[in-house]
Amino acid sequence: MTKTAFLGTPEAALPTLKALSETSDVALVVTQPDRARGRSKQLLSPPVKVAASEFGLRVEQPTTSVLLYEALSSIPDLDLAVVVAYGRIIRPESLLIPRMGMLNVHFSLLPRWRGAAPVNRALIAGDTMTGVTIIKLDEGLDTGPVITAQAVDIAPGENVGSLTERLAVLGAQLLARSLPRYLSGELEPTPQSEEGLTYASKIEKADRSIDVSLTSIEIVDLVRGLAPDPGAVLAIDGQPHKILEASVVEEIIDEGTWQSRDGSPIVGAAGGSFRIDLIQPPGRTVMRSTDWLRGRGVHSGGVE
């Protein structure tokens, strides 16, 4: 049986880990170190570590490139490594350890959206199609040759949470179908085109702010691209609120203001207006905007 290693960290990597464990001998799982989360700063294990432990697989959490190299080198006769959202740059010396290289399951149609946040950036840009690409990793940032790819339509209203979940399942299925053909030499890696190249940079704090000088469509796409986590942020009457669901509406509201219309808050942007459907006020839980509005006692105000 093919001896493999798996490198991944978040929930989205789990379907591929499961598929790989069912079709090969997973000798090692590599994931990010445990991190402090929440106000309590309690150390929490990455989802991949939790799942791998349940599967009875060996887990390593290297903190440096040298330790990653040592972990991979400790597996004799390693045939292949598979990477899904590992979250760390893999140096060239580690790429050379598996006999058949490292395959990366990437959640976009490369070369569009190379980088850290392909699903977020596709939604924020208003893309109507995305997909999964499996590449053989090289020294560049998602520049390796393509093994296979599959396109999917982005559903109207789909957010980064639901789309990532769908792509994670698709990626696992695509790997399971293509891996035997790759190992047999039937699937030859094909150099990536540079046509249509875009970069999916990491989501920063500044990316989350809703700018009402944008069009309502652009704002709704931003909300979709950041929901449910980390969430787009709109300052309503001077207080930052997370906006987790929004819709374009036909009502005309002055830019930079909000009003209650039919029991829902409508916000005016430069190019049209949008309705807030799901909101999280500071220090509170996520709620429907109708409930938020009932609790405020006011029916208009400013945003920024």
Side-chain angles (χ1 to χ4, degrees), residues 218-236:
E218 290 172 324
I219 290 170
V220 169
D221 286 340
L222 176 66
V223 171
R224 293 170 61 208
L226 297 174
D229 185 66
V233 177
L234 179 67
I236 301 175

Side-chain angles (χ1 to χ4, degrees), residues 46 56 58 63 76 119 128 150 152 156 174 191 203 205 218 229 254 289 304:
R58 174 188 165 192
T63 55
V119 187
T128 58
Q150 184 171 337
V152 293
L174 189 60
I203 299 296
K205 183 177 180 180
E218 290 172 324
D229 185 66
D254 289 341
S289 63
E304 57 183 76

Side-chain angles (χ1 to χ4, degrees), residues 77-92:
D77 303 318
L78 183 62
D79 294 309
L80 182 76
V82 175
V83 183
V84 184
Y86 174 45
R88 182 186 292 274
I89 298 295
I90 301 172
R91 296 185 63 83

Side-chain angles (χ1 to χ4, degrees), residues 119-120 122-124 130 154-167 220-229 243-246 278:
V119 187
N120 302 87
L123 288 167
I124 292 170
T130 186
I154 298 175
E158 196 164 22
N159 66 23
V160 71
S162 59
L163 182 55
T164 298
E165 184 176 339
R166 192 154 64 93
L167 294 175
V220 169
D221 286 340
L222 176 66
V223 171
R224 293 170 61 208
L226 297 174
D229 185 66
I243 310 302
L244 302 174
E245 188 178 312
L278 202 61

Side-chain angles (χ1 to χ4, degrees), residues 37-100:
R37 304 287 184 185
R39 295 179 180 177
S40 65
K41 300 300 181 182
Q42 179 182 2
L43 280 178
L44 294 179
S45 299
V48 162
K49 178 183 178 181
V50 175
S53 299
E54 292 174 352
F55 294 159
L57 302 174
R58 174 188 165 192
V59 178
E60 295 288 344
Q61 296 173 277
T63 55
T64 67
S65 297
V66 171
L67 292 175
L68 173 59
Y69 178 84
E70 291 175 354
L72 292 169
S73 298
S74 70
I75 307 299
D77 303 318
L78 183 62
D79 294 309
L80 182 76
V82 175
V83 183
V84 184
Y86 174 45
R88 182 186 292 274
I89 298 295
I90 301 172
R91 296 185 63 83
E93 56 268 25
S94 291
L95 295 175
L96 297 174
I97 294 173
R99 179 177 61 87
M100 305 258 326

